[in-house]
């Protein structure tokens, strides 16, 4: 009798889950027709997002960031609230005083480092790190975080090793040469990445995507090539996915959600040279609840989605709440329509029992 009652109690306790309204600390919103279509998919659940600057042309100056912010806010449907946290795209011509002014005015929350050629629209990124030293020094002085796409572009390095090699060859030397520089290792995909972030001091953090908690490289390549699972950094072997799950569900303050939701129209994904990016904005919270429940860590979902990232960026947690409910499988569309063509939603490969109410 007692036993029965206790289990009913536990069951009802796990049917709903209320969290502080989450933040997405790494998001691609694009521009124009694509922006109009994908922005509501994030704003529906997320209060704020660190918005990536890899447009064509990129968001390089404070002036570019202010104009992009205005376009994002203009694209927000009536009645939705969302705060874009703007970033600047670091180039070898970036002016440290423009960066400092953008930070001082509150417009910009981070600067993004793309090694030239590492990923989508990274052509204007950094080739020689000596040429951005003075910008990094200024950022360390003012406490402005550097968000790092952590992959070397050396063609001699195997694509599955590019993150681990970047840590040794580039990231660790930059951090040693720039004491106090606050760094976010974006979308880590390896146990080396998780270990390096986990061992750092409080100037270091790492974002983890939803899809890297779900897929390994077999999902992309075994039994046929699946372009909608291709992103950069590319998913690695299973032991790395498990290391990411341990890091995300550890509750450690240095790990937080950055979805890297990166929409591309289907015709550019299903292509002889398909674009990198998984579009996860719509179903991310359902997937994360599933993953955290599988790991016995539902109580650590809120720090990951809603507390740790805000704390690293010096922001208050959002005042609002969202509630997820566990029940019949949530119905998500396979694709969303955009003025730039259909965009396929990331398919986790399992039914999603949790949905945001
Ligand atoms: O998969 C990715 N897509 N990785 C990135 O670093 C960029 C992103 C994009 O912009 O499409
Ligand atoms: Zn990204």
């Amino acid at each position: 009798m007692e036993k029965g009652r206790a289990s009913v109690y536990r069951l009802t306790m796990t049917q709903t889950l209320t969290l502080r309204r989450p933040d997405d600390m790494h998001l691609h919103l694009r521009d124009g027709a694509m922006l109009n279509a994908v922005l509501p998919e994030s704003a529906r659940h997320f209060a704020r997002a660190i918005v990536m600057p890899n447009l064509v042309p990129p968001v390089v100056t404070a002036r570019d960031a202010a104009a992009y912010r205005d376009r994002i806010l203009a694209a927000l449907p009536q009645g939705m609230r969302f705060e874009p946290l703007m970033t600047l795209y670091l180039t070898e011509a970036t002016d440290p005083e423009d960066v400092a002014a953008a930070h001082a005015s509150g417009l910009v929350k981070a600067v993004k480092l793309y090694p030239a050629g590492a990923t989508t629209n990274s052509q204007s990124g950094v080739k020689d790190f000596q040429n951005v030293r003075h910008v990094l020094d200024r950022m360390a002085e003012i406490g402005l975080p550097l968000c790092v796409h952590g992959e070397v572009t050396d063609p001699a390095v195997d694509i599955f090793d590019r993150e681990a090699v970047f840590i040794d060859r580039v990231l660790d030397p930059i951090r040693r040469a720039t004491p106090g520089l606050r760094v976010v290792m974006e979308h880590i995909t390896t146990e080396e990445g998780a270990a390096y972030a986990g061992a750092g001091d409080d100037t270091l953090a790492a974002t983890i995507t939803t899809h890297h908690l779900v897929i390994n490289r077999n999902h992309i390549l075994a039994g046929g090539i699946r372009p909608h699972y291709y992103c950069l950094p590319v998913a690695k072997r299973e032991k790395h996915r498990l290391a990411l799950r341990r890091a995300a569900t550890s509750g450690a303050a240095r790990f937080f959600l950055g979805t890297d939701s990166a929409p591309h129209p289907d015709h550019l994904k299903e292509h002889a040279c398909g674009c990198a990016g998984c579009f996860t904005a719509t179903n991310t919270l359902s997937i994360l609840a599933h993953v955290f429940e599988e790991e016995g860590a539902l109580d650590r979902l809120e720090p990951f989605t809603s507390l740790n990232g805000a704390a690293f960026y010096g922001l208050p947690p959002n005042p609002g709440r969202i509630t997820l409910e566990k029940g019949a499988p949530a119905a998500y569309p396979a694709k969303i329509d955009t003025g730039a063509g259909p965009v396929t939603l990331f398919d986790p490969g399992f039914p999603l029992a949790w949905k945001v109410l």
Side-chain angles (χ1 to χ4, degrees):
M1 179 73 170
E2 275 307 301
K3 220 172 146 193
R5 226 184 266 156
S7 69
V8 169
Y9 177 69
R10 271 203 305 278
L11 192 68
T12 48
M13 288 296 284
T14 56
Q15 291 309 291
T16 67
L17 182 63
T18 296
L19 310 174
R20 287 264 184 182
R21 201 165 179 81
D23 296 315
D24 184 348
M25 293 312 193
H26 183 131
L27 177 64
H28 295 270
L29 285 174
R30 315 298 192 207
D31 216 342
M34 187 62 91
L35 168 63
N36 290 331
V38 300
L39 178 61
E41 300 300 300
S42 287
R44 196 176 296 133
H45 299 154
F46 292 92
R48 303 175 290 207
I50 292 278
V51 179
M52 289 297 124
N54 62 334
L55 306 181
V56 188
V59 178
V60 174
T61 64
R63 198 191 157 105
D64 298 338
Y68 186 31
R69 185 173 190 277
D70 290 346
R71 296 199 297 282
I72 295 168
L73 292 176
L76 195 61
Q78 279 250 318
M80 276 191 156
R81 293 182 62 156
F82 180 77
E83 187 185 353
L85 307 171
M86 306 309 293
T87 62
L88 299 177
Y89 185 120
L90 183 61
T91 73
E92 293 183 9
T94 291
D95 171 6
E97 292 320 309
D98 182 59
V99 171
H103 172 246
S105 73
L107 171 68
V108 153
K109 297 290 185 272
V111 171
K112 178 72 189 271
L113 166 63
Y114 288 106
T119 188
T120 312
N121 303 335
S122 62
Q123 309 85 309
S124 316
V126 176
K127 293 194 180 79
D128 180 348
F129 290 91
Q130 284 313 319
N131 295 338
V132 295
R133 280 243 51 83
H134 57 305
V135 185
L136 302 184
D137 287 339
R138 192 83 175 94
M139 289 171 60
E141 241 172 71
I142 62 180
L144 181 61
L146 181 72
C147 296
V148 177
H149 183 108
E151 289 188 286
V152 290
T153 54
D154 180 349
V157 178
D158 189 277
I159 191 164
F160 292 100
D161 298 333
R162 287 182 180 187
E163 180 172 296
V165 172
F166 182 89
I167 293 169
D168 292 343
R169 277 197 202 165
V170 183
L171 181 59
D172 196 56
I174 285 181
R175 293 187 62 241
R176 285 175 195 279
T178 327
L181 180 66
R182 312 191 72 235
V183 170
V184 183
M185 298 169 68
E186 297 293 339
H187 42 52
I188 55 169
T189 58
T190 58
E191 62 183 6
E192 290 88 346
Y196 186 81
D201 59 22
D202 62 9
T203 61
L204 188 62
T207 56
I208 300 177
T209 75
T210 305
H211 49 283
H212 287 116
L213 296 173
V214 174
I215 59 167
N216 64 32
R217 63 193 197 178
N218 281 6
H219 292 85
I220 312 169
L221 296 169
I225 192 158
R226 292 192 175 68
H228 296 290
Y229 288 151
Y230 173 64
C231 67
L232 288 170
V234 69
K236 311 294 192 298
R237 28 171 102 241
E238 178 66 358
K239 68 170 182 174
H240 296 292
R241 185 184 76 99
L242 297 178
L244 298 176
R245 281 196 170 217
R246 285 194 297 276
T249 59
S250 68
R254 65 194 60 228
F255 296 110
F256 46 85
L257 175 65
T259 66
D260 198 18
S261 181
H264 293 277
D266 282 354
H267 69 278
L268 297 179
K269 293 283 296 172
E270 298 164 8
H271 190 277
C273 183
C275 294
C278 296
F279 177 66
T280 55
T282 311
N283 56 1
T284 271
L285 290 167
S286 289
I287 299 172
L288 289 175
H290 180 103
V291 166
F292 276 65
E293 186 176 41
E294 263 181 359
E295 298 293 329
L298 272 179
D299 58 324
R300 294 180 181 166
L301 184 57
E302 185 179 52
F304 183 68
T305 59
S306 317
L307 302 176
N308 297 348
F312 185 85
Y313 280 100
L315 302 167
N318 297 306
R321 303 281 191 286
I322 57 163
T323 297
L324 291 106
E325 188 181 60
K326 190 177 179 187
Y332 286 105
K335 298 171 192 288
I336 67 158
D337 283 325
T338 82
V343 171
T344 293
L345 185 59
F346 176 76
D347 174 5
F350 43 75
L352 292 169
W354 288 96
K355 63 168 172 291
V356 181
L357 294 178

